[in-house]
Each structure stands twice: as C-alpha cells, then as structure tokens.
Amino acid sequence: MRHGKKINHLGRTADHRKAMLANLSISLIEHKRITTTVAKAKALKKYVEPLITRCKDDSTNSRRVVFRYLQNKEAVKTLFGEVAQKVGDRPGGYTRVIKVGPRQGDGAEMAFIELVDFDENMAKAPKAAAKRTRRAGKKAAPKAEAPVAEAPKVEEAPAEEAKAE
C-alpha cells in the first residue's frame, strides 16, 4: 500500500532526482517551454511553482532561497526579472502541462510544460464564441425567397422630347 507516499521518485536516487529537477527548472525558465515525459513534467510543476511564487518578493533572502534550489545565476536573474514581471498579479498556476502523445522510440507519454504568461500563440488567439451544439433547440425558420433583381428602367422621356421637336 502506498499510504502517504505522494512524491514520484522517477526511478532515481534523491540526489539524482534533485539535480534533474533543478536542470529541468533552469531549462524551463530559460526557454519558457520544454518537452519531457508526463511524469517528469508533473514533478517539475510541483518543484518550480513554489520558486516562481518566491520570486514575486524580490528580496535578498528570496534570491538566496531560489539560488539554493537552482544553482544558476542567469536563471535566478531571469526568474526575478522577466518572469516576476509577468506573473506579479497571478495568484498561482504559473505552468501548463499539455500532453503531446507517445515518444517514437519507447512509447513513453510525452508532454510539454510551459510558463503560462509566455505563450504568445494562446495570447494572440481570439476567443471564439461558444458554439451551440444542441440541435433539438433550433427551429426551422421559413425560407425567405431571394429578391428578384429588377431590370433597370429606361427613361423614355428624352426620346419623346426628341420626336416632339
């Protein structure tokens, strides 16, 4: 029974898992979107979201705590600069995991994980109006006949004036 065993060990030792999640976090912060397996993406989400929450408060202590997890100056700088500006007003849910299907080689379920506020395609896409899918509610409207185009009227008055003269 797995009572109280929340963490996915990902088939690795604790040190290997910690290093792998730190490296995935650095890549995610640097590239804003990475492709990995679904299990690693879910584990990464739990690992990186508290760090992003920590970056909202730009203090020396916050930077030190985040640096302890990431061990990369450039990633910490990007996280507290560029990322903190975008997520400043968001209350949580900074990442999105989208499944993309099985991997060609071994069939592992793949997904990409991305920072929500940095997805340009989702931000630019116009929101479509909700489609009505219930067909029973539609009533057949009577068909309106197409208006018949009238032939242009020819003015005969000038011709009559010409005959009068």
Side-chain angles (χ1 to χ4, degrees):
M1 292 186 284
R2 335 182 34 243
H3 295 305
K5 296 185 173 157
K6 282 185 164 181
I7 188 168
N8 187 351
H9 295 287
L10 302 172
R12 290 163 171 79
T13 63
D15 288 337
H16 186 184
R17 188 171 53 253
K18 180 181 169 187
M20 182 193 64
L21 289 174
N23 287 331
L24 286 172
S25 299
I26 291 167
S27 296
L28 178 64
I29 292 166
E30 181 181 336
H31 299 291
K32 312 303 186 261
R33 175 190 288 179
I34 58 173
T35 304
T36 183
T37 63
V38 173
K40 286 180 192 172
K42 288 180 180 179
L44 177 61
K45 185 175 184 124
K46 287 183 179 180
Y47 186 86
V48 79
E49 291 215 2
L51 299 179
I52 297 173
T53 302
R54 178 69 75 160
C55 82
K56 288 181 177 182
D57 173 36
D58 191 4
S59 65
T60 305
N61 185 52
S62 295
R63 284 181 179 264
R64 285 178 178 166
V65 169
V66 171
F67 185 75
R68 216 175 89 211
Y69 283 92
L70 297 182
Q71 295 291 315
N72 186 313
K73 286 182 185 178
E74 294 303 317
V76 171
K77 189 185 297 183
T78 304
L79 186 64
F80 278 87
E82 184 180 349
V83 176
Q85 287 177 346
K86 291 255 188 168
V87 301
D89 56 342
R90 182 178 282 275
Y94 312 111
T95 57
R96 176 187 299 131
V97 176
I98 299 175
K99 295 179 182 179
V100 293
R103 185 162 48 199
Q104 183 71 31
D106 60 356
E109 281 297 319
M110 298 297 287
F112 64 79
I113 181 169
E114 64 183 359
L115 295 175
V116 172
D117 293 325
F118 288 89
D119 188 11
E120 294 85 19
N121 296 334
M122 292 284 206
K124 289 181 184 176
K127 293 186 179 181
K131 281 185 156 181
R132 287 187 68 181
T133 57
R134 188 167 169 240
R135 294 171 187 228
K138 288 185 178 179
K139 294 182 180 177
K143 291 186 179 179
E145 294 183 18
V148 179
E150 295 180 15
K153 295 181 180 177
V154 179
E155 293 184 19
E156 297 179 13
E160 290 177 8
E161 290 176 9
K163 287 180 182 178
E165 291 178 3

